[in-house]
């Protein structure tokens, strides 16, 4: 009998968890959205206490939502590196990263200072795979090697974010950015 009584609660808890995650993910895509437990609960159609009880707090909820968004981005970067040349992987990935950042403004805008261990780990993985793209492109002679991969990665991240935040009205602006950045990195002979 307790199994029957427990099943609906578990199903309800799973449904509430997914509703809260979906709401947080939707808010992450809204420019200027406020990421509070109250806003997430309202978007999900849940009570604030339910959201807090489900995740233990705002940080854990946002960590789950953001890491869910970042996992496929990291996977895509690794896939690109395995499928094509390092320079082509870097160009393609930067284009996709700009689109991702443009679609998820609040990730960079509102998450500073929060305890987000899964997100932090994925960001580290992302930086590592981009650094690997750069290092391999340096080794094959398509990217200059007078700047470290760490320096190039540190320069690319904020620049790509700035382009994403400008909300380019066409692919031409993104292509121009990529051309300027990658031409500047091209090995001069």
């Amino acid at each position: 009998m307790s199994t029957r009584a427990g099943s609906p609660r578990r199903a309800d808890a799973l449904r509430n968890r997914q509703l809260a995650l979906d709401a947080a993910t939707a808010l992450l895509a809204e420019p200027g959205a406020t990421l509070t437990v109250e806003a997430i609960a309202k978007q999900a159609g849940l009570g604030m206490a339910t959201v807090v009880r489900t995740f233990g707090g705002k940080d854990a909820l946002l960590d789950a939502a953001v890491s869910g968004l970042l996992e496929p981005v990291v996977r895509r970067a690794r896939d690109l590196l395995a499928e094509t040349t390092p320079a082509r992987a870097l160009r393609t990935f930067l284009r996709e990263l700009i689109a991702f950042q443009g679609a998820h403004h609040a990730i960079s805008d509102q998450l500073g200072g929060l305890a987000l261990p899964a997100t932090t780990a994925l960001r580290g993985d992302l930086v590592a795979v981009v650094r690997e793209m750069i290092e391999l492109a340096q080794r094959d002679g398509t990217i200059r090697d007078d700047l470290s991969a760490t320096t190039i990665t540190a320069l690319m991240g904020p620049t790509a974010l700035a382009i994403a935040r400008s909300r380019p009205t066409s692919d031409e602006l993104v292509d121009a950015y990529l051309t300027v950045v990658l031409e500047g990195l091209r090995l001069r002979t």
Side-chain angles (χ1 to χ4, degrees):
M1 188 105 172
S2 64
T3 305
R4 284 188 189 191
S7 294
R9 273 195 225 137
R10 281 189 216 133
D12 207 36
L14 290 173
R15 180 187 64 81
N16 290 344
R17 179 179 174 75
Q18 192 59 53
L19 286 170
L21 278 173
D22 291 346
T25 301
L27 288 171
L28 286 166
E30 288 183 24
T34 303
L35 295 174
T36 63
V37 171
E38 182 180 8
I40 293 166
K42 182 177 179 183
Q43 176 87 10
L46 299 170
M48 289 189 334
T50 299
V51 172
V52 171
R53 185 173 51 251
T54 301
F55 287 93
K58 174 181 155 182
D59 289 12
L61 168 56
L62 291 176
D63 195 26
V66 175
S67 64
L69 290 169
L70 284 179
E71 282 177 29
V73 174
V74 174
R75 190 171 40 254
R76 174 67 173 149
R78 287 184 182 131
D79 290 347
L80 282 168
L81 192 54
E83 295 168 2
T84 189
T85 66
R88 183 167 285 137
L90 183 61
R91 183 180 187 93
T92 302
F93 181 71
L94 286 174
R95 169 181 278 293
E96 292 174 10
L97 180 63
I98 289 168
F100 174 81
Q101 290 172 325
H104 300 92
H105 295 271
I107 288 177
S108 295
D109 295 341
Q110 296 188 36
L111 300 184
L114 300 179
L116 307 172
T119 298
T120 300
L122 283 165
R123 281 183 171 174
D125 291 347
L126 189 58
V127 167
V129 73
V130 170
R131 189 178 303 127
E132 184 178 358
M133 287 176 187
I134 293 166
E135 288 169 348
L136 290 171
Q138 287 175 321
R139 277 190 223 134
D140 74 16
T142 54
I143 289 183
R144 61 194 299 163
D145 60 3
D146 60 327
L147 297 171
S148 73
T150 301
T151 299
I152 294 170
T153 303
L155 291 170
M156 283 184 169
T159 308
L161 181 59
I163 296 297
R165 283 186 174 162
S166 73
R167 294 189 212 161
T169 55
S170 72
D171 287 342
E172 286 181 42
L173 183 58
V174 174
D175 286 335
Y177 157 73
L178 292 172
T179 298
V180 167
V181 168
L182 296 175
E183 284 295 320
L185 291 175
R186 186 156 294 158
L187 186 64
R188 304 285 182 224
T189 55

